[in-house]
Amino acid sequence: PDAIRQLYELSKFILSAEGAKTLEQSTDISRQEKMLLIERAASVVSFQPRFLRVTVVGTVDGPNGQLPPMDRNGLADPYVTCRLVPEDGGPYPQKGISSKTAYKTISPQWSQELEIPLRGGTLDSDGFFHSEDVVDTTQLEVVVRDADVGLWHIVYYLFRFLAVVVVILAAASRIEGLSDDLTQSQRYVAMGTASFVAIGYVLSYVMAVLRRADDEYVAQCLVPIGMLMDQREHALLLTLREPKAEQQVDGKGTENGGIAARNATGGFGVLRVRLMLSEH
């Protein structure tokens, strides 16, 4: 970030009246090189990113790069969730942006691009948008989770089956005219049963599918994104770390009584990603 800040300040100086005069008086570089330098400086100063593009490639080869086995079969069903963590305020998006799930593997290869809109930024007195200060103080949170079929998924599948049965019975009763012969008390029972199934289905869907409450934390990593202000795509190897204690307490820890699982080398794996900031 310090080098990027120095590049930004140098670019601003080159574009200033004093910098332009100094550059014009210089005899060490050709006129064409001066024009290229001014063009590059203008690109640096005007670059105000609005999106972070994360290409989740996969784990590196070898035992050190493998994820910990999370299931009883010695494998896992991992997926990656990315969020941005600003210096002030909570991580966003709240649920994160997730990759697809790689099933039954501890050496997943996703090769998937995720995009996260940047929040924050300011407008200067001339009405120009600036986001470089936000980028300098923001980190990318990369979390690997294991997709599990737990209690909420079982409840969800049960209520989904019951919902189908209720719909079929209701349709059949309507067609056969049986609903017209029901007493008032029988109607209340039928409506109560249908309401119970509907509420159970919605609740279990939210917990199992939307909130993924059965899934487990595997490992995570934080990456400063200030270095991306050079407008280049960066290929990084992220050494995953043990999940935070508060994350394990919040519910999703591991099957080992809160003890984080590790791979064959005693680590949590190494993830290969590509990062780039973009204005569009």
Side-chain angles (χ1 to χ4, degrees):
D2 290 339
I4 300 299
R5 173 57 60 182
Q6 291 173 4
L7 175 62
Y8 181 78
E9 294 299 332
L10 178 59
S11 299
K12 285 179 62 178
F13 173 75
I14 291 174
L15 296 176
S16 67
E18 182 181 357
K21 182 179 180 180
T22 302
L23 190 62
E24 185 65 29
Q25 293 174 347
S26 175
T27 58
D28 296 331
I29 57 178
S30 67
R31 182 169 183 80
Q32 183 178 5
E33 289 173 329
K34 292 177 182 179
M35 295 302 296
L36 289 174
L37 188 59
I38 293 174
E39 181 179 342
R40 178 58 180 165
S43 174
V44 170
V45 172
S46 64
F47 181 60
Q48 302 299 330
R50 294 177 181 267
F51 300 94
L52 171 64
R53 290 196 172 97
V54 182
T55 301
V56 184
V57 180
T59 56
V60 301
D61 296 332
N64 185 58
Q66 293 178 334
L67 299 177
M70 301 298 294
D71 301 329
R72 292 181 176 84
N73 60 4
L75 300 173
D77 303 309
Y79 64 95
V80 174
T81 299
C82 295
R83 299 192 300 177
L84 290 174
V85 184
E87 186 176 47
D88 299 319
Y92 68 90
Q94 184 176 0
K95 296 178 181 178
I97 305 296
S98 296
S99 71
K100 60 188 177 183
T101 300
Y103 292 99
K104 297 181 180 180
T105 179
I106 54 176
S107 301
Q109 299 298 315
W110 292 280
S111 298
Q112 183 176 357
E113 183 178 292
L114 309 176
E115 184 178 87
I116 308 176
L118 291 169
R119 295 180 184 174
T122 57
L123 289 174
D124 63 16
S125 57
D126 296 323
F128 290 101
F129 176 77
H130 292 277
S131 61
E132 67 273 6
D133 291 337
V134 174
V135 172
D136 284 343
T137 57
T138 298
Q139 298 184 89
L140 171 66
E141 177 190 68
V142 179
V143 177
V144 180
R145 293 185 175 91
D146 177 52
D148 269 355
V149 178
L151 177 61
W152 278 112
H153 273 84
I154 295 173
V155 173
Y156 167 64
Y157 293 140
L158 173 62
F159 275 104
R160 189 171 68 174
F161 171 75
L162 292 176
V164 173
V165 171
V166 168
V167 170
I168 292 174
L169 290 177
S173 298
R174 187 72 174 177
I175 294 173
E176 296 295 331
L178 299 177
S179 58
D180 297 333
D181 299 330
L182 296 178
T183 64
Q184 191 70 20
S185 60
Q186 289 174 330
R187 290 179 184 275
Y188 286 144
V189 171
M191 292 177 59
T193 302
S195 299
F196 171 74
V197 172
I199 293 173
Y201 174 78
V202 171
L203 177 61
S204 59
Y205 177 82
V206 169
M207 295 302 294
V209 179
L210 298 183
R211 295 192 60 185
R212 309 190 73 157
D214 291 325
D215 296 351
E216 296 180 306
Y217 279 89
V218 178
Q220 64 180 15
C221 183
L222 286 173
V223 185
I225 64 172
M227 60 183 174
L228 305 179
M229 284 296 292
D230 62 1
Q231 306 179 47
R232 294 183 174 88
E233 184 178 60
H234 289 246
L236 304 176
L237 297 180
L238 306 183
T239 300
L240 299 172
R241 307 294 182 186
E242 185 173 357
K244 295 179 181 179
E246 59 266 23
Q247 289 177 327
Q248 296 180 17
V249 171
D250 280 346
K252 303 190 181 179
T254 67
E255 291 182 348
N256 303 321
I259 301 175
R262 298 174 182 267
N263 62 20
T265 62
F268 298 93
V270 180
L271 201 61
R272 191 189 306 274
V273 301
R274 296 196 302 270
L275 305 179
M276 185 175 183
L277 290 171
S278 172
E279 291 181 309
H280 307 288

